[in-house]
Amino acid sequence: MKTNPITELLSSVCRPLVPVLVQTLGTMFTEILVSLLIGGLIYFLVMRNRNQVLKTKDGWWGAGAPPDGEEDVSVRPFKISTSDEELEDLHRRLDQTRPVASLEDSQFHYGFNSQCLQKVVSYWRNDFDWRKQVDKLNQYPHFKTNIEGIDVHYMHIKPQRVPQGSAVIPLIMVHGWPGSFYEFFGIIPLLTEPSDPGDCVFEVVCPSIPGYGFSEAPHKKGFDSVCAARIFHKLMKRLGFQHFYAHGGDWGWLVTTNMAQLEPKTVRGLHVNFAPPSKPGLRVTLSIMLGRRFPKLFGFTDTDIQKLYPCKEKLVVESIKESGYMHIQATKPDTAGRGLNDSPVGLAAYILEKFSTWTSRDFRNLEDGGLTRKFSLDDLLTNIMIYWTSACIVSSMRFYKENFGKGLDQPHSRIPVVVPTGFACFPNELMHTPKLWVQQKYHKLVSYTLMARGGHFAAMEEPQLMAEDIHKFVRTVEKKTKKQ
């Protein structure tokens, strides 16, 4: 049979290509298969994290064993009060303080400057009017209710006027240490009585963390941020809120974060002004190592570079300088706390030093610590008096022991937050947190705002700026929710 020359030509050309073609197709198939497997694994890990919910069990923090019978769910009005005996005891202790001279030219680098402290004590003893401040504290409604065996104190402020067509949005605001519910006094009217017609109107709940202020201290070991989050969820439900927003700074950041992790369908949105990496991952580690050289790779801004580098100075040395209190409170809070509980001057020095340095590191260079540059002495001493009159300094310090004593690899440190989140980045915060670092934990970061000014006690220092950012964040979330 005669062979077609064209067929022979094609056969001679294509025959050597067959093995190459088979090999190429095989390689492509392998690459596609590997890509599918890797993609599937990533999708599985992402979805697994997305569906993770923080688990918790009910506790009992009252003295002794829990009683038989149904839980008391009553809500009782509460008023802050004082007495002649309380003030006489305070004045006697202030009169008997033993001053210690500060070193020459030491400013606030050794802690609270003694000369400045004497001026504060003098004002406290002779000019500060605690009765007037008690009246101011009582201008908002206070309540107590028993949850898991302890009385929980909170303020509950409803808006007086609601513009037509506006919905009232419930918001829980949680403080930290060494602050109190009083941190939010300046921001409350900006949230409940906004002047801008386009702003949201909030119904605000400000609780005291158990062991702080007028919330009863736990009587048993183990009360950490997750327990506080669970109790605050119960509080909000007891008040009739099935959905709400949450805001927190300092410990309030972690408590409200845990609230979002416990019940992501209940917390409509989370707004925080403090968010240190709870469990730094690979991207965060790489960003620290390479971010200065390749900032765009990690989305670093000029502000990020300025705040983070040189790393040794900004992240290590500064942290060591300002974290001595934390090591004490995370290990032996009762020892140092007992002295502070007996001495109002010692208590004031211990707490007010934080209101100096944590407001601005530059204040360490000032003889007066810059205390009255951002706050009034009346406001600062009111916060001190909440600690003094409730004798809560020891129990507030124990919160560090309960949280850090369980290690740094707790379940909540591994679980992302999947509710819409807003972050207000204040320039003088203890630790700067770039957007990339926030997104590692908060997967639905709706807003990241570089604030114009302010430090760690931002709600108290810059209530107007904080209120504006909360309004902006909630408006954004509400608009997105309506579109869905």
Side-chain angles (χ1 to χ4, degrees):
M1 181 169 144
K2 202 169 183 179
T3 306
N4 188 322
I6 296 177
T7 303
E8 285 186 356
L9 178 62
L10 288 173
S11 177
S12 64
V13 171
C14 294
R15 192 177 295 115
L17 295 177
V18 171
V20 176
L21 184 61
V22 171
Q23 183 179 1
T24 302
L25 289 172
T27 302
M28 288 175 63
F29 178 77
T30 302
E31 290 177 351
I32 292 171
L33 183 61
V34 170
S35 298
L36 288 172
L37 288 172
I38 293 174
L41 179 61
I42 293 173
Y43 179 79
F44 169 76
L45 292 173
V46 169
M47 292 307 295
R48 184 187 68 174
N49 280 337
R50 180 172 293 176
N51 294 325
Q52 271 188 301
V53 174
L54 187 61
K55 304 294 183 183
T56 186
K57 294 181 180 179
D58 288 346
W60 174 261
W61 307 104
D68 297 329
E70 294 184 359
E71 181 183 19
D72 178 11
V73 297
S74 63
V75 171
R76 311 180 305 279
F78 170 74
K79 279 214 170 207
I80 299 165
S81 62
T82 188
S83 65
D84 290 340
E85 292 76 17
E86 185 175 68
L87 292 173
E88 288 168 5
D89 176 68
L90 170 67
H91 293 162
R92 176 180 58 81
R93 293 170 188 261
L94 292 175
D95 289 339
Q96 293 178 354
T97 186
R98 297 190 299 172
V100 178
S102 293
L103 295 173
E104 295 177 6
D105 196 34
S106 61
Q107 292 87 37
F108 266 60
H109 289 282
Y110 282 71
F112 206 109
N113 182 278
S114 193
Q115 281 74 28
C116 175
L117 184 59
Q118 281 305 108
K119 293 178 182 178
V120 172
V121 171
S122 176
Y123 181 85
W124 194 0
R125 175 64 176 86
N126 301 308
D127 300 297
F128 178 71
D129 189 343
W130 175 232
R131 292 186 187 279
K132 179 181 177 181
Q133 295 305 109
V134 165
D135 290 340
K136 178 181 178 180
L137 292 173
N138 285 325
Q139 75 180 13
Y140 293 123
H142 294 255
F143 302 89
K144 283 190 178 183
T145 188
N146 195 275
I147 304 176
E148 297 190 4
I150 51 178
D151 280 345
V152 177
H153 159 261
Y154 63 96
M155 292 189 302
H156 186 178
I157 305 97
K158 299 179 181 180
Q160 297 297 312
R161 296 178 296 101
V162 180
Q164 188 174 4
S166 298
V168 177
I169 297 172
L171 170 69
I172 184 171
M173 306 185 78
V174 184
H175 65 87
W177 187 93
S180 64
F181 65 90
Y182 187 64
E183 288 181 63
F184 301 120
F185 253 64
I187 198 174
I188 286 172
L190 302 176
L191 297 173
T192 58
E193 305 168 21
S195 57
D196 188 336
D199 279 341
C200 306
V201 181
F202 294 96
E203 182 171 345
V204 178
V205 177
C206 289
S208 296
I209 297 173
Y212 287 72
F214 304 111
S215 279
E216 185 179 356
H219 295 265
K220 294 175 171 59
K221 297 184 294 184
F223 188 91
D224 61 9
S225 62
V226 178
C227 299
R230 183 180 66 242
I231 278 182
F232 288 164
H233 265 298
K234 291 182 178 182
L235 171 63
M236 294 300 279
K237 288 173 184 174
R238 189 168 292 183
L239 297 179
F241 301 119
Q242 300 305 314
H243 303 281
F244 54 85
Y245 284 82
H247 164 81
D250 195 88
W251 278 127
W253 141 73
L254 186 55
V255 173
T256 54
T257 291
N258 292 160
M259 292 178 76
Q261 293 169 316
L262 284 170
E263 297 188 33
K265 292 183 179 179
T266 300
V267 180
R268 289 175 63 88
L270 172 65
H271 186 274
V272 293
N273 58 280
F274 187 60
S278 54
K279 191 174 178 62
L282 179 60
R283 290 185 71 192
V284 171
T285 304
L286 288 175
S287 71
I288 294 173
M289 296 169 59
L290 305 174
R292 193 174 194 177
R293 186 176 293 271
F294 307 104
K296 291 184 179 179
L297 187 62
F298 303 100
F300 278 5
T301 64
D302 291 342
T303 299
D304 296 327
I305 300 300
Q306 177 191 349
K307 297 287 186 182
L308 296 178
Y309 299 97
C311 286
K312 182 180 177 181
E313 177 64 29
K314 299 292 179 68
L315 300 181
V316 179
V317 175
E318 277 298 332
S319 295
I320 292 173
K321 283 181 181 179
E322 294 302 326
S323 60
Y325 80 99
M326 184 174 67
H327 297 291
I328 292 172
Q329 295 176 193
T331 53
K332 303 293 177 62
D334 287 28
T335 304
R338 182 57 189 267
L340 301 178
N341 191 60
D342 275 351
S343 169
V345 176
L347 179 69
Y350 195 72
I351 289 179
L352 292 184
E353 183 253 313
K354 304 307 179 192
F355 276 84
S356 165
T357 306
W358 293 0
T359 300
S360 174
R361 291 172 182 170
D362 293 340
F363 286 176
R364 289 181 299 212
N365 301 320
L366 303 175
E367 293 290 341
D368 65 354
L371 276 176
T372 55
R373 294 193 178 191
K374 295 289 187 174
F375 311 104
S376 71
L377 274 181
D378 280 346
D379 284 340
L380 292 171
L381 289 171
T382 297
N383 184 65
I384 299 296
M385 287 296 287
I386 290 170
Y387 277 82
W388 177 255
T389 58
S390 65
C392 73
I393 186 61
V394 174
S395 54
S396 73
M397 292 164 69
R398 286 175 184 159
F399 204 51
Y400 285 79
K401 173 78 170 177
E402 303 296 9
N403 282 289
F404 289 111
K406 295 178 180 179
L408 301 178
D409 194 33
Q410 293 303 299
H412 65 77
S413 70
R414 303 189 298 270
I415 297 175
V417 175
V418 295
V419 307
T421 303
F423 181 69
C425 183
F426 285 86
N428 291 326
E429 182 54 88
L430 285 173
M431 181 179 185
H432 177 70
T433 312
K435 187 175 183 179
L436 173 74
W437 297 10
V438 181
Q439 287 174 319
Q440 179 194 240
K441 181 75 173 181
Y442 303 89
H443 289 188
K444 290 185 179 179
L445 188 64
V446 172
S447 65
Y448 179 97
T449 311
L450 289 173
M451 309 302 285
R453 59 191 177 275
H456 187 68
F457 303 99
M460 187 174 176
E461 180 189 348
E462 297 290 347
Q464 185 69 47
L465 291 181
M466 183 72 87
E468 289 172 0
D469 201 63
I470 292 174
H471 277 296
K472 182 186 73 173
F473 164 68
V474 173
R475 281 199 306 268
T476 302
V477 176
E478 289 294 301
K479 285 178 183 178
K480 287 187 175 184
T481 303
K482 289 177 183 177
K483 289 180 180 179
Q484 292 175 353

PDB file of all heavy atoms in Angstrom, residues 35-63:
ATOM      1  N   SER A  35      -2.465  23.180  43.030  1.00  0.00           N
ATOM      2  CA  SER A  35      -3.087  24.483  43.270  1.00  0.00           C
ATOM      3  C   SER A  35      -4.462  24.331  43.903  1.00  0.00           C
ATOM      4  O   SER A  35      -4.823  25.061  44.833  1.00  0.00           O
ATOM      5  CB  SER A  35      -3.208  25.265  41.959  1.00  0.00           C
ATOM      6  OG  SER A  35      -1.940  25.517  41.407  1.00  0.00           O
ATOM      7  N   LEU A  36      -5.230  23.345  43.387  1.00  0.00           N
ATOM      8  CA  LEU A  36      -6.557  23.101  43.947  1.00  0.00           C
ATOM      9  C   LEU A  36      -6.471  22.649  45.401  1.00  0.00           C
ATOM     10  O   LEU A  36      -7.262  23.061  46.246  1.00  0.00           O
ATOM     11  CB  LEU A  36      -7.308  22.069  43.108  1.00  0.00           C
ATOM     12  CG  LEU A  36      -7.791  22.543  41.730  1.00  0.00           C
ATOM     13  CD1 LEU A  36      -8.343  21.373  40.937  1.00  0.00           C
ATOM     14  CD2 LEU A  36      -8.866  23.614  41.889  1.00  0.00           C
ATOM     15  N   LEU A  37      -5.486  21.776  45.672  1.00  0.00           N
ATOM     16  CA  LEU A  37      -5.320  21.285  47.039  1.00  0.00           C
ATOM     17  C   LEU A  37      -4.929  22.409  47.996  1.00  0.00           C
ATOM     18  O   LEU A  37      -5.476  22.529  49.092  1.00  0.00           O
ATOM     19  CB  LEU A  37      -4.262  20.172  47.076  1.00  0.00           C
ATOM     20  CG  LEU A  37      -4.679  18.827  46.455  1.00  0.00           C
ATOM     21  CD1 LEU A  37      -3.488  17.891  46.377  1.00  0.00           C
ATOM     22  CD2 LEU A  37      -5.803  18.192  47.282  1.00  0.00           C
ATOM     23  N   ILE A  38      -3.952  23.240  47.544  1.00  0.00           N
ATOM     24  CA  ILE A  38      -3.524  24.368  48.383  1.00  0.00           C
ATOM     25  C   ILE A  38      -4.671  25.348  48.570  1.00  0.00           C
ATOM     26  O   ILE A  38      -4.941  25.814  49.686  1.00  0.00           O
ATOM     27  CB  ILE A  38      -2.305  25.075  47.758  1.00  0.00           C
ATOM     28  CG1 ILE A  38      -1.078  24.139  47.795  1.00  0.00           C
ATOM     29  CG2 ILE A  38      -1.995  26.370  48.505  1.00  0.00           C
ATOM     30  CD1 ILE A  38       0.133  24.695  47.077  1.00  0.00           C
ATOM     31  N   GLY A  39      -5.364  25.669  47.474  1.00  0.00           N
ATOM     32  CA  GLY A  39      -6.502  26.583  47.574  1.00  0.00           C
ATOM     33  C   GLY A  39      -7.582  26.046  48.485  1.00  0.00           C
ATOM     34  O   GLY A  39      -8.168  26.771  49.280  1.00  0.00           O
ATOM     35  N   GLY A  40      -7.843  24.732  48.360  1.00  0.00           N
ATOM     36  CA  GLY A  40      -8.841  24.104  49.220  1.00  0.00           C
ATOM     37  C   GLY A  40      -8.437  24.152  50.677  1.00  0.00           C
ATOM     38  O   GLY A  40      -9.272  24.379  51.560  1.00  0.00           O
ATOM     39  N   LEU A  41      -7.123  23.942  50.931  1.00  0.00           N
ATOM     40  CA  LEU A  41      -6.630  23.984  52.303  1.00  0.00           C
ATOM     41  C   LEU A  41      -6.778  25.391  52.884  1.00  0.00           C
ATOM     42  O   LEU A  41      -7.235  25.557  54.029  1.00  0.00           O
ATOM     43  CB  LEU A  41      -5.162  23.546  52.347  1.00  0.00           C
ATOM     44  CG  LEU A  41      -4.492  23.562  53.730  1.00  0.00           C
ATOM     45  CD1 LEU A  41      -5.214  22.618  54.683  1.00  0.00           C
ATOM     46  CD2 LEU A  41      -3.014  23.181  53.619  1.00  0.00           C
ATOM     47  N   ILE A  42      -6.389  26.399  52.086  1.00  0.00           N
ATOM     48  CA  ILE A  42      -6.521  27.787  52.547  1.00  0.00           C
ATOM     49  C   ILE A  42      -7.987  28.121  52.815  1.00  0.00           C
ATOM     50  O   ILE A  42      -8.332  28.718  53.832  1.00  0.00           O
ATOM     51  CB  ILE A  42      -5.920  28.756  51.503  1.00  0.00           C
ATOM     52  CG1 ILE A  42      -4.396  28.568  51.421  1.00  0.00           C
ATOM     53  CG2 ILE A  42      -6.268  30.205  51.847  1.00  0.00           C
ATOM     54  CD1 ILE A  42      -3.744  29.361  50.310  1.00  0.00           C
ATOM     55  N   TYR A  43      -8.851  27.709  51.880  1.00  0.00           N
ATOM     56  CA  TYR A  43     -10.284  27.968  52.049  1.00  0.00           C
ATOM     57  C   TYR A  43     -10.803  27.293  53.311  1.00  0.00           C
ATOM     58  O   TYR A  43     -11.562  27.885  54.096  1.00  0.00           O
ATOM     59  CB  TYR A  43     -11.049  27.455  50.836  1.00  0.00           C
ATOM     60  CG  TYR A  43     -12.544  27.662  50.928  1.00  0.00           C
ATOM     61  CD1 TYR A  43     -13.114  28.910  50.670  1.00  0.00           C
ATOM     62  CD2 TYR A  43     -13.394  26.614  51.278  1.00  0.00           C
ATOM     63  CE1 TYR A  43     -14.485  29.117  50.758  1.00  0.00           C
ATOM     64  CE2 TYR A  43     -14.757  26.806  51.373  1.00  0.00           C
ATOM     65  CZ  TYR A  43     -15.299  28.050  51.110  1.00  0.00           C
ATOM     66  OH  TYR A  43     -16.644  28.234  51.200  1.00  0.00           O
ATOM     67  N   PHE A  44     -10.338  26.045  53.535  1.00  0.00           N
ATOM     68  CA  PHE A  44     -10.764  25.314  54.736  1.00  0.00           C
ATOM     69  C   PHE A  44     -10.320  26.028  56.002  1.00  0.00           C
ATOM     70  O   PHE A  44     -11.105  26.189  56.944  1.00  0.00           O
ATOM     71  CB  PHE A  44     -10.184  23.897  54.715  1.00  0.00           C
ATOM     72  CG  PHE A  44     -10.336  23.160  56.018  1.00  0.00           C
ATOM     73  CD1 PHE A  44     -11.557  22.632  56.394  1.00  0.00           C
ATOM     74  CD2 PHE A  44      -9.252  23.013  56.876  1.00  0.00           C
ATOM     75  CE1 PHE A  44     -11.705  21.967  57.608  1.00  0.00           C
ATOM     76  CE2 PHE A  44      -9.387  22.341  58.084  1.00  0.00           C
ATOM     77  CZ  PHE A  44     -10.623  21.825  58.440  1.00  0.00           C
ATOM     78  N   LEU A  45      -9.052  26.488  56.012  1.00  0.00           N
ATOM     79  CA  LEU A  45      -8.531  27.160  57.192  1.00  0.00           C
ATOM     80  C   LEU A  45      -9.259  28.479  57.440  1.00  0.00           C
ATOM     81  O   LEU A  45      -9.584  28.817  58.583  1.00  0.00           O
ATOM     82  CB  LEU A  45      -7.024  27.408  57.046  1.00  0.00           C
ATOM     83  CG  LEU A  45      -6.145  26.153  57.065  1.00  0.00           C
ATOM     84  CD1 LEU A  45      -4.701  26.511  56.736  1.00  0.00           C
ATOM     85  CD2 LEU A  45      -6.216  25.455  58.422  1.00  0.00           C
ATOM     86  N   VAL A  46      -9.506  29.223  56.342  1.00  0.00           N
ATOM     87  CA  VAL A  46     -10.203  30.494  56.477  1.00  0.00           C
ATOM     88  C   VAL A  46     -11.620  30.279  56.989  1.00  0.00           C
ATOM     89  O   VAL A  46     -12.093  30.942  57.914  1.00  0.00           O
ATOM     90  CB  VAL A  46     -10.220  31.260  55.131  1.00  0.00           C
ATOM     91  CG1 VAL A  46     -11.173  32.450  55.209  1.00  0.00           C
ATOM     92  CG2 VAL A  46      -8.820  31.719  54.769  1.00  0.00           C
ATOM     93  N   MET A  47     -12.326  29.310  56.376  1.00  0.00           N
ATOM     94  CA  MET A  47     -13.705  29.055  56.785  1.00  0.00           C
ATOM     95  C   MET A  47     -13.762  28.498  58.193  1.00  0.00           C
ATOM     96  O   MET A  47     -14.680  28.797  58.956  1.00  0.00           O
ATOM     97  CB  MET A  47     -14.372  28.078  55.798  1.00  0.00           C
ATOM     98  CG  MET A  47     -14.585  28.665  54.406  1.00  0.00           C
ATOM     99  SD  MET A  47     -15.482  30.238  54.422  1.00  0.00           S
ATOM    100  CE  MET A  47     -17.067  29.711  55.036  1.00  0.00           C
ATOM    101  N   ARG A  48     -12.751  27.679  58.545  1.00  0.00           N
ATOM    102  CA  ARG A  48     -12.727  27.135  59.901  1.00  0.00           C
ATOM    103  C   ARG A  48     -12.580  28.260  60.915  1.00  0.00           C
ATOM    104  O   ARG A  48     -13.281  28.308  61.920  1.00  0.00           O
ATOM    105  CB  ARG A  48     -11.567  26.153  60.068  1.00  0.00           C
ATOM    106  CG  ARG A  48     -11.558  25.478  61.431  1.00  0.00           C
ATOM    107  CD  ARG A  48     -10.316  24.658  61.632  1.00  0.00           C
ATOM    108  NE  ARG A  48      -9.132  25.518  61.725  1.00  0.00           N
ATOM    109  CZ  ARG A  48      -7.915  25.058  62.028  1.00  0.00           C
ATOM    110  NH1 ARG A  48      -7.720  23.781  62.243  1.00  0.00           N
ATOM    111  NH2 ARG A  48      -6.888  25.900  62.099  1.00  0.00           N
ATOM    112  N   ASN A  49     -11.656  29.206  60.632  1.00  0.00           N
ATOM    113  CA  ASN A  49     -11.471  30.346  61.525  1.00  0.00           C
ATOM    114  C   ASN A  49     -12.719  31.227  61.542  1.00  0.00           C
ATOM    115  O   ASN A  49     -13.127  31.734  62.580  1.00  0.00           O
ATOM    116  CB  ASN A  49     -10.258  31.174  61.099  1.00  0.00           C
ATOM    117  CG  ASN A  49      -8.950  30.560  61.557  1.00  0.00           C
ATOM    118  OD1 ASN A  49      -8.919  29.787  62.502  1.00  0.00           O
ATOM    119  ND2 ASN A  49      -7.878  30.887  60.864  1.00  0.00           N
ATOM    120  N   ARG A  50     -13.321  31.370  60.346  1.00  0.00           N
ATOM    121  CA  ARG A  50     -14.476  32.252  60.247  1.00  0.00           C
ATOM    122  C   ARG A  50     -15.631  31.714  61.077  1.00  0.00           C
ATOM    123  O   ARG A  50     -16.410  32.471  61.643  1.00  0.00           O
ATOM    124  CB  ARG A  50     -14.882  32.388  58.780  1.00  0.00           C
ATOM    125  CG  ARG A  50     -16.071  33.294  58.548  1.00  0.00           C
ATOM    126  CD  ARG A  50     -16.302  33.533  57.078  1.00  0.00           C
ATOM    127  NE  ARG A  50     -15.221  34.292  56.487  1.00  0.00           N
ATOM    128  CZ  ARG A  50     -15.134  34.579  55.196  1.00  0.00           C
ATOM    129  NH1 ARG A  50     -16.065  34.142  54.367  1.00  0.00           N
ATOM    130  NH2 ARG A  50     -14.120  35.271  54.724  1.00  0.00           N
ATOM    131  N   ASN A  51     -15.747  30.412  61.153  1.00  0.00           N
ATOM    132  CA  ASN A  51     -16.854  29.813  61.878  1.00  0.00           C
ATOM    133  C   ASN A  51     -16.523  29.532  63.330  1.00  0.00           C
ATOM    134  O   ASN A  51     -17.374  29.033  64.068  1.00  0.00           O
ATOM    135  CB  ASN A  51     -17.283  28.515  61.177  1.00  0.00           C
ATOM    136  CG  ASN A  51     -17.863  28.776  59.786  1.00  0.00           C
ATOM    137  OD1 ASN A  51     -18.518  29.784  59.586  1.00  0.00           O
ATOM    138  ND2 ASN A  51     -17.610  27.896  58.848  1.00  0.00           N
ATOM    139  N   GLN A  52     -15.285  29.819  63.748  1.00  0.00           N
ATOM    140  CA  GLN A  52     -14.917  29.579  65.122  1.00  0.00           C
ATOM    141  C   GLN A  52     -15.602  30.568  66.041  1.00  0.00           C
ATOM    142  O   GLN A  52     -15.645  31.767  65.772  1.00  0.00           O
ATOM    143  CB  GLN A  52     -13.398  29.686  65.307  1.00  0.00           C
ATOM    144  CG  GLN A  52     -12.647  28.379  65.084  1.00  0.00           C
ATOM    145  CD  GLN A  52     -11.194  28.522  65.461  1.00  0.00           C
ATOM    146  OE1 GLN A  52     -10.491  29.348  64.907  1.00  0.00           O
ATOM    147  NE2 GLN A  52     -10.756  27.724  66.407  1.00  0.00           N
ATOM    148  N   VAL A  53     -16.140  30.056  67.114  1.00  0.00           N
ATOM    149  CA  VAL A  53     -16.773  30.887  68.131  1.00  0.00           C
ATOM    150  C   VAL A  53     -16.138  30.550  69.463  1.00  0.00           C
ATOM    151  O   VAL A  53     -15.906  29.385  69.785  1.00  0.00           O
ATOM    152  CB  VAL A  53     -18.298  30.646  68.174  1.00  0.00           C
ATOM    153  CG1 VAL A  53     -18.927  31.414  69.331  1.00  0.00           C
ATOM    154  CG2 VAL A  53     -18.947  31.058  66.861  1.00  0.00           C
ATOM    155  N   LEU A  54     -15.845  31.572  70.237  1.00  0.00           N
ATOM    156  CA  LEU A  54     -15.245  31.367  71.548  1.00  0.00           C
ATOM    157  C   LEU A  54     -16.248  30.668  72.467  1.00  0.00           C
ATOM    158  O   LEU A  54     -17.414  31.049  72.529  1.00  0.00           O
ATOM    159  CB  LEU A  54     -14.841  32.716  72.135  1.00  0.00           C
ATOM    160  CG  LEU A  54     -14.044  32.712  73.436  1.00  0.00           C
ATOM    161  CD1 LEU A  54     -12.721  31.983  73.268  1.00  0.00           C
ATOM    162  CD2 LEU A  54     -13.803  34.147  73.901  1.00  0.00           C
ATOM    163  N   LYS A  55     -15.800  29.631  73.140  1.00  0.00           N
ATOM    164  CA  LYS A  55     -16.659  28.857  74.035  1.00  0.00           C
ATOM    165  C   LYS A  55     -16.442  29.293  75.480  1.00  0.00           C
ATOM    166  O   LYS A  55     -15.339  29.647  75.874  1.00  0.00           O
ATOM    167  CB  LYS A  55     -16.365  27.365  73.905  1.00  0.00           C
ATOM    168  CG  LYS A  55     -16.491  26.811  72.486  1.00  0.00           C
ATOM    169  CD  LYS A  55     -17.925  26.863  71.996  1.00  0.00           C
ATOM    170  CE  LYS A  55     -18.050  26.230  70.602  1.00  0.00           C
ATOM    171  NZ  LYS A  55     -19.433  26.340  70.086  1.00  0.00           N
ATOM    172  N   THR A  56     -17.494  29.251  76.254  1.00  0.00           N
ATOM    173  CA  THR A  56     -17.398  29.602  77.672  1.00  0.00           C
ATOM    174  C   THR A  56     -18.493  28.889  78.447  1.00  0.00           C
ATOM    175  O   THR A  56     -19.486  28.440  77.861  1.00  0.00           O
ATOM    176  CB  THR A  56     -17.513  31.127  77.870  1.00  0.00           C
ATOM    177  OG1 THR A  56     -17.276  31.440  79.242  1.00  0.00           O
ATOM    178  CG2 THR A  56     -18.891  31.635  77.477  1.00  0.00           C
ATOM    179  N   LYS A  57     -18.303  28.783  79.750  1.00  0.00           N
ATOM    180  CA  LYS A  57     -19.301  28.161  80.620  1.00  0.00           C
ATOM    181  C   LYS A  57     -19.666  29.130  81.734  1.00  0.00           C
ATOM    182  O   LYS A  57     -18.840  29.935  82.167  1.00  0.00           O
ATOM    183  CB  LYS A  57     -18.750  26.860  81.228  1.00  0.00           C
ATOM    184  CG  LYS A  57     -18.488  25.749  80.215  1.00  0.00           C
ATOM    185  CD  LYS A  57     -17.963  24.508  80.921  1.00  0.00           C
ATOM    186  CE  LYS A  57     -17.690  23.386  79.916  1.00  0.00           C
ATOM    187  NZ  LYS A  57     -17.140  22.171  80.595  1.00  0.00           N
ATOM    188  N   ASP A  58     -20.898  29.034  82.201  1.00  0.00           N
ATOM    189  CA  ASP A  58     -21.330  29.887  83.300  1.00  0.00           C
ATOM    190  C   ASP A  58     -20.451  29.663  84.527  1.00  0.00           C
ATOM    191  O   ASP A  58     -19.964  28.548  84.775  1.00  0.00           O
ATOM    192  CB  ASP A  58     -22.782  29.583  83.672  1.00  0.00           C
ATOM    193  CG  ASP A  58     -23.753  30.077  82.614  1.00  0.00           C
ATOM    194  OD1 ASP A  58     -23.324  30.867  81.757  1.00  0.00           O
ATOM    195  OD2 ASP A  58     -24.926  29.667  82.644  1.00  0.00           O
ATOM    196  N   GLY A  59     -20.260  30.731  85.281  1.00  0.00           N
ATOM    197  CA  GLY A  59     -19.464  30.638  86.487  1.00  0.00           C
ATOM    198  C   GLY A  59     -20.246  31.081  87.708  1.00  0.00           C
ATOM    199  O   GLY A  59     -21.390  31.542  87.600  1.00  0.00           O
ATOM    200  N   TRP A  60     -19.634  30.952  88.868  1.00  0.00           N
ATOM    201  CA  TRP A  60     -20.198  31.468  90.114  1.00  0.00           C
ATOM    202  C   TRP A  60     -19.070  32.150  90.863  1.00  0.00           C
ATOM    203  O   TRP A  60     -18.097  31.527  91.262  1.00  0.00           O
ATOM    204  CB  TRP A  60     -20.792  30.351  90.965  1.00  0.00           C
ATOM    205  CG  TRP A  60     -21.247  30.844  92.308  1.00  0.00           C
ATOM    206  CD1 TRP A  60     -20.580  30.745  93.494  1.00  0.00           C
ATOM    207  CD2 TRP A  60     -22.440  31.562  92.598  1.00  0.00           C
ATOM    208  NE1 TRP A  60     -21.284  31.351  94.505  1.00  0.00           N
ATOM    209  CE2 TRP A  60     -22.443  31.867  93.981  1.00  0.00           C
ATOM    210  CE3 TRP A  60     -23.516  31.996  91.818  1.00  0.00           C
ATOM    211  CZ2 TRP A  60     -23.460  32.566  94.602  1.00  0.00           C
ATOM    212  CZ3 TRP A  60     -24.541  32.690  92.444  1.00  0.00           C
ATOM    213  CH2 TRP A  60     -24.521  32.967  93.811  1.00  0.00           C
ATOM    214  N   TRP A  61     -19.202  33.475  91.041  1.00  0.00           N
ATOM    215  CA  TRP A  61     -18.119  34.267  91.606  1.00  0.00           C
ATOM    216  C   TRP A  61     -18.461  34.829  92.985  1.00  0.00           C
ATOM    217  O   TRP A  61     -17.684  35.580  93.567  1.00  0.00           O
ATOM    218  CB  TRP A  61     -17.763  35.398  90.634  1.00  0.00           C
ATOM    219  CG  TRP A  61     -17.486  34.861  89.276  1.00  0.00           C
ATOM    220  CD1 TRP A  61     -18.309  34.913  88.192  1.00  0.00           C
ATOM    221  CD2 TRP A  61     -16.334  34.128  88.861  1.00  0.00           C
ATOM    222  NE1 TRP A  61     -17.743  34.267  87.122  1.00  0.00           N
ATOM    223  CE2 TRP A  61     -16.521  33.770  87.508  1.00  0.00           C
ATOM    224  CE3 TRP A  61     -15.156  33.734  89.499  1.00  0.00           C
ATOM    225  CZ2 TRP A  61     -15.592  33.047  86.784  1.00  0.00           C
ATOM    226  CZ3 TRP A  61     -14.224  33.011  88.780  1.00  0.00           C
ATOM    227  CH2 TRP A  61     -14.439  32.677  87.447  1.00  0.00           C
ATOM    228  N   GLY A  62     -19.622  34.458  93.486  1.00  0.00           N
ATOM    229  CA  GLY A  62     -20.001  34.897  94.812  1.00  0.00           C
ATOM    230  C   GLY A  62     -19.267  34.118  95.890  1.00  0.00           C
ATOM    231  O   GLY A  62     -18.591  33.124  95.618  1.00  0.00           O
ATOM    232  N   ALA A  63     -19.420  34.567  97.119  1.00  0.00           N
ATOM    233  CA  ALA A  63     -18.785  33.873  98.240  1.00  0.00           C
ATOM    234  C   ALA A  63     -19.486  32.548  98.488  1.00  0.00           C
ATOM    235  O   ALA A  63     -20.716  32.459  98.418  1.00  0.00           O
ATOM    236  CB  ALA A  63     -18.849  34.744  99.489  1.00  0.00           C
TER     237      ALA A  63
END
